[in-house]
Amino acid sequence: MNKLAPTHQIIKKSYILLLLLVCYALSSHGQELKSPDGNVTIHITSNENLQWSVTFKDKTLLDPSDIGLTINGKPLSFSKIKKQKTEAIQNKITPVVALKTSSIDDHYNSLLLEFSHKFNIEFRAYDNGAAYRFISTQNKEIIVDSEIISLQFPESTISYFPEEESIISHNERSYEKVKVSEIKKDKFCSLPVLFQNDGISALFTEADLYDYPGLYLTKTDNGIFEAKNPKYVTKATPTEQGGDRNEILEYADYIAKTKGARNFPWRVLAIAENDKDLLTNQLVYQLSRPNQIKDPTWIKPGKVAWDWYNDNNIYGVDFKSGINNDTYKYYIDFASKYGIEYVILDEGWSKSTTNIAEPTEAIDVAELVKYGKNKNVGIILWALWKPLDKDAETLLQQYEDWGVKGIKVDFMQRSDQYMVNYYERIAKMAAAHHLLVDYHGAFKPSGLRRAYPNLLSYEGVKGNENNKWSDLITPEHTVTLPFTRMVPGPMDFTPGSMVNTHKINYNISFSRPMSLGTRCHQVAMYVIYESPLQMLCESPSRYYQEEETTDFIAQIPTTWDETIALSGKIADHVIMARRKGSNWYVGAMTAANAKDYILDLSFLPEGNYTIEIMEDGANAHKFAEDYKKSNQKITNKDKIEIKMAADGGWAAIIKPL
């Protein structure tokens, strides 16, 4: 492993004396571990079985729930604690790619329980969450038969449940609001999944996922959610499609074969007293291993002009549009004009989906790279995961030789141990060739982006591309995502539709898609939605027609120094302020109900500013593309009225004078 880069070093301080006051209390019933502010309490009992439960301000979030491992055919016993260690930790983390903030205060209390069978467990209590992980000190390779997770929630709990139909999945789900008691037996979901009880939110997910399968949860008949890990893959047989996407798989009867001395993934509850507090939670990043790239200074986040959504439908030109150099030079010219950092060549640029070493006859990648370089625009190439897996080193070297800046890897659809390792292997190899990575057909972020910050974004979200074949991307869905899928990390939702409608006018078209909600609803996504590699999904020809909107979007960064959650209610509305340097950006989105909000500008430092506003027009409730753009001078003593139509939005750019 490389040593940490100087900018990513963590300063650790242990305050042992504080432990007597705030860390844990030992009683005949077990241990308690409290968060630094005392609000979150983890209750631990270790008899033959190990259980944990979690409360927030004495409100129960998680009832006593079993946790454990079955190793080499035998369940681990936790009846005898050999040793225990407690710490109060204050870290400062400086992310290489600042998704929410350029600095993270990592403050928690920890309890490490050591057992004689060389399997230990560590608990951590944060002010905004609780987590645990197993730690193995075995000498030999081990087989993990199964993981025991039996999450038991109070009967009154509701869930925003991303139900899955198959373990072979792109993890692109709708978050359906349902009472936990009404979820049927054997229904299962991907992560993250949100639970709410007594006004408190607990979002369950995982962090620091390496050399181990991803986690799903399945409902049992007694109301408990149990672990559902994909089994270890022993055989992958290509289908008649050539194995480029789906595969017929054969599994072992265990979930992982791994080295004996290792840390297992964190099981995480992100906790929020108010919905809006989920918007600033960074526990998945905090709990994951630090940067492994020795010199990450070459990594450049940015926006991307994307071709596939708009089906290369450009117009007003004297050449035939499609997958050819003339079309992509048009994209590059567009990107250059608006300061957009990248253009992607999506599916179709190569001779076939399985031959990703040779461009089609109509494409000259090296020429496009050279053309883009002269205009400060980089090229990103799409690739199916399986052909890339067959000869990754050769292909990545070739892409680097061409001068390509990144890869978009697609259609993994799996989260078994092999695929989890694939994510890490490709990210690591891509970093060696100075290539950015965007994973599509992917599971959710689980911490890898901290170790390999060239991994800028993940799909694993039901995003705008679904407009091409469905009406599922509703404003209710889009204002649910910031509180659910976005919590563990960036999501490549691909915003930017300029064909905006309400439900009554909506039509499905694969080659000329439209979006539900107002124009400003889409614009606000560039402030609200987090992706350091943020797409512009619409045709450049349409962006040229909508120059006022395009110029506004082009000014919005993709990484942030500071994030403030101003207001939010899941599936109803979200309002956030973000800072990049000395400039501030405000985004607001609402769902079915029109929304008024008074924006108090006291978060701004002293001084004079200009504010550029895009807001729903007077007739946006009928004609979704209607908007009003305005400018005015402000100070931090001012208040501004935000008015959003149903399915609407609002966005502002604030700059010091």
Side-chain angles (χ1 to χ4, degrees):
M1 289 290 185
N2 293 317
K3 293 182 179 179
L4 304 187
T7 57
H8 219 66
Q9 288 177 346
I10 298 174
I11 301 172
K12 179 184 284 191
K13 296 180 180 179
S14 298
Y15 296 94
I16 303 300
L17 294 178
L18 290 177
L19 301 175
L20 297 175
L21 300 175
V22 299
C23 270
Y24 81 103
L26 181 63
S27 71
S28 58
H29 302 291
Q31 291 87 1
E32 286 188 354
L33 179 69
K34 288 186 175 292
S35 60
D37 66 3
N39 289 331
V40 175
T41 304
I42 304 174
H43 309 265
I44 304 133
T45 57
S46 54
N47 298 311
E48 191 65 25
N49 297 323
L50 188 64
Q51 287 189 326
W52 75 319
S53 60
V54 181
T55 59
F56 180 83
K57 293 184 176 179
D58 297 325
K59 294 181 179 180
T60 300
L61 298 181
L62 182 69
D63 286 327
S65 301
D66 291 341
I67 53 179
L69 291 170
T70 301
I71 303 294
N72 298 330
K74 184 178 180 180
L76 297 177
S77 171
F78 297 97
S79 59
K80 295 180 180 179
I81 299 175
K82 180 180 177 182
K83 185 180 178 182
Q84 57 191 37
K85 178 183 177 182
T86 54
E87 286 185 298
I89 302 297
Q90 285 189 333
N91 292 338
K92 180 77 70 174
I93 302 173
T94 303
V96 173
V97 177
L99 190 68
K100 296 179 187 288
T101 56
S102 57
S103 180
I104 303 172
D105 290 325
D106 189 37
H107 189 188
Y108 61 88
N109 294 325
S110 71
L111 169 64
L112 178 67
L113 301 178
E114 297 184 15
F115 298 89
S116 57
H117 47 47
K118 295 185 177 181
F119 273 89
N120 308 322
I121 187 166
E122 180 184 2
F123 293 90
R124 290 187 187 176
Y126 293 80
D127 292 346
N128 62 348
Y132 74 86
R133 68 174 172 185
F134 288 100
I135 301 170
S136 171
T137 59
Q138 298 279 323
N139 296 321
K140 299 179 180 179
E141 183 180 71
I142 57 175
I143 289 178
V144 183
D145 301 285
S146 63
E147 181 173 355
I148 300 166
I149 297 177
S150 298
L151 301 179
Q152 186 167 355
F153 295 94
E155 187 176 354
S156 57
T157 301
I158 64 168
S159 176
Y160 287 85
F161 195 72
E163 183 180 337
E164 292 284 354
E165 298 170 357
S166 170
I167 207 78
I168 304 298
S169 173
H170 292 111
N171 292 258
E172 301 173 15
R173 315 307 298 174
S174 298
Y175 285 83
E176 302 295 341
K177 184 179 180 180
V178 61
K179 292 181 179 179
V180 164
S181 59
E182 295 177 357
I183 299 174
K184 294 181 180 179
K185 179 183 177 182
D186 296 330
K187 293 293 183 181
F188 71 99
C189 70
S190 49
L191 303 182
V193 55
L194 180 61
F195 299 97
Q196 292 184 325
N197 183 53
D198 203 9
I200 309 298
S201 295
L203 181 136
F204 185 76
T205 191
E206 59 185 335
D208 206 35
L209 175 63
Y210 293 86
D211 195 30
Y212 198 78
L215 179 64
Y216 295 76
L217 293 180
T218 187
K219 178 76 179 301
T220 66
D221 57 353
N222 58 357
I224 294 174
F225 292 89
E226 294 186 346
K228 184 181 180 70
N229 294 103
K231 298 288 188 179
Y232 185 88
V233 175
T234 56
K235 185 178 181 182
T237 305
T239 66
E240 292 180 359
Q241 295 175 321
D244 63 338
R245 299 188 182 183
N246 300 303
E247 296 176 322
I248 300 171
L249 306 175
E250 293 179 10
Y251 298 99
D253 59 358
Y254 52 86
I255 65 172
K257 183 186 292 184
T258 185
K259 60 184 180 181
R262 61 160 299 169
N263 296 330
F264 285 81
W266 287 100
R267 293 5 189 148
V268 186
L269 274 179
I271 298 170
E273 188 169 16
N274 301 293
D275 286 0
K276 72 180 181 68
D277 295 332
L278 289 167
L279 303 172
T280 53
N281 192 293
Q282 300 190 75
L283 282 184
V284 170
Y285 191 89
Q286 292 167 243
L287 286 163
S288 297
R289 66 190 65 182
N291 173 38
Q292 303 297 304
I293 300 176
K294 186 175 182 180
D295 179 11
T297 56
W298 58 271
I299 297 170
K300 183 183 177 183
K303 292 186 284 296
V304 187
W306 184 37
D307 55 346
W308 190 82
Y309 177 88
N310 57 74
D311 203 21
N312 288 296
N313 271 322
I314 63 175
Y315 45 87
V317 296
D318 58 3
F319 58 86
K320 200 173 264 191
S321 68
I323 300 175
N324 55 54
N325 267 29
D326 286 337
T327 297
Y328 285 113
K329 286 181 178 179
Y330 183 86
Y331 276 83
I332 291 168
D333 290 341
F334 161 73
S336 180
K337 177 179 178 179
Y338 288 101
I340 295 165
E341 290 83 355
Y342 301 102
V343 166
I344 192 167
L345 277 60
D346 212 293
E347 182 176 0
W349 73 268
S350 60
K351 279 201 170 179
S352 71
T353 55
T354 54
N355 179 1
I356 55 174
E358 298 179 80
T360 183
E361 291 180 1
I363 293 291
D364 186 330
V365 175
E367 181 185 342
L368 290 174
V369 167
K370 182 179 179 181
Y371 188 82
K373 185 176 181 180
N374 290 332
K375 294 175 175 284
N376 296 315
V377 177
I379 298 297
I380 295 172
L381 294 180
W382 176 92
L384 281 173
W385 81 270
K386 187 85 182 280
L388 181 61
D389 191 28
K390 287 180 179 178
D391 198 8
E393 180 56 41
T394 300
L395 288 165
L396 296 178
Q397 181 64 63
Q398 179 173 307
Y399 297 165
E400 182 185 20
D401 291 344
W402 280 343
V404 168
K405 298 299 183 183
I407 53 174
K408 173 182 174 181
V409 188
D410 209 348
F411 287 104
M412 285 76 79
Q413 288 184 269
R414 290 164 43 185
S415 51
D416 53 87
Q417 185 182 13
Y418 182 90
M419 187 57 72
V420 170
N421 289 344
Y422 173 85
Y423 278 44
E424 180 181 6
R425 184 169 69 255
I426 295 300
K428 183 177 181 179
M429 293 172 67
H433 293 281
H434 286 192
L435 293 170
L436 307 174
V437 179
D438 178 16
Y439 282 134
H440 267 236
F443 53 76
K444 79 287 174 194
S446 303
L448 183 61
R449 69 183 184 90
R450 183 177 175 192
Y452 296 97
N454 62 313
L455 170 51
L456 291 182
S457 199
Y458 287 71
E459 192 182 25
V461 62
K462 190 177 284 294
N464 252 357
E465 69 175 17
N466 287 265
N467 293 329
K468 293 166 73 72
W469 54 78
S470 79
D471 60 357
L472 297 174
I473 310 305
T474 64
E476 287 80 9
H477 174 70
T478 55
V479 297
T480 296
L481 292 176
F483 305 93
T484 51
R485 165 59 184 83
M486 199 173 81
V487 176
M491 58 181 193
D492 194 5
F493 178 90
T494 67
S497 169
M498 295 292 103
V499 185
N500 318 113
T501 68
H502 293 295
K503 185 75 171 178
I504 193 172
N505 306 119
Y506 187 80
N507 289 300
I508 296 171
S509 172
F510 187 87
S511 62
R512 300 186 68 179
M514 57 184 64
S515 64
L516 286 164
T518 69
R519 167 68 55 80
C520 290
H521 190 87
Q522 286 284 313
V523 171
M525 291 177 182
Y526 286 92
V527 178
I528 300 295
Y529 285 2
E530 294 166 355
S531 178
L533 206 61
Q534 188 69 278
M535 303 285 170
L536 280 78
C537 69
E538 195 58 81
S539 163
S541 299
R542 186 62 191 262
Y543 283 129
Y544 279 134
Q545 283 189 332
E546 302 290 347
E547 188 167 7
E548 199 169 49
T549 301
T550 307
D551 179 71
F552 190 93
I553 291 172
Q555 296 180 65
I556 301 174
T558 64
T559 58
W560 307 100
D561 294 322
E562 186 177 352
T563 293
I564 301 173
L566 297 170
S567 182
K569 183 179 179 183
I570 188 168
D572 181 76
H573 76 280
V574 56
I575 306 174
M576 301 175 73
R578 300 190 192 262
R579 179 179 62 83
K580 181 72 170 183
S582 58
N583 296 338
W584 285 83
Y585 305 80
V586 181
M589 299 163 61
T590 190
N593 298 315
K595 188 76 61 179
D596 294 344
Y597 178 81
I598 301 300
L599 176 64
D600 186 336
L601 295 170
S602 59
F603 59 82
L604 296 173
E606 293 283 343
N608 297 311
Y609 298 83
T610 60
I611 184 169
E612 183 179 1
I613 298 172
M614 279 198 66
E615 58 188 323
D616 292 329
N619 294 296
H621 63 292
K622 294 190 297 182
F623 185 72
E625 292 176 12
D626 187 30
Y627 70 89
K628 177 184 176 183
K629 190 167 177 291
S630 61
N631 292 272
Q632 64 187 82
K633 294 180 180 179
I634 57 167
T635 71
N636 65 358
K637 296 179 175 59
D638 291 322
K639 296 180 180 180
I640 292 177
E641 185 178 17
I642 293 176
K643 296 181 71 68
M644 291 183 283
D647 303 337
W650 191 96
I653 300 171
I654 304 171
K655 297 180 179 179
L657 286 170

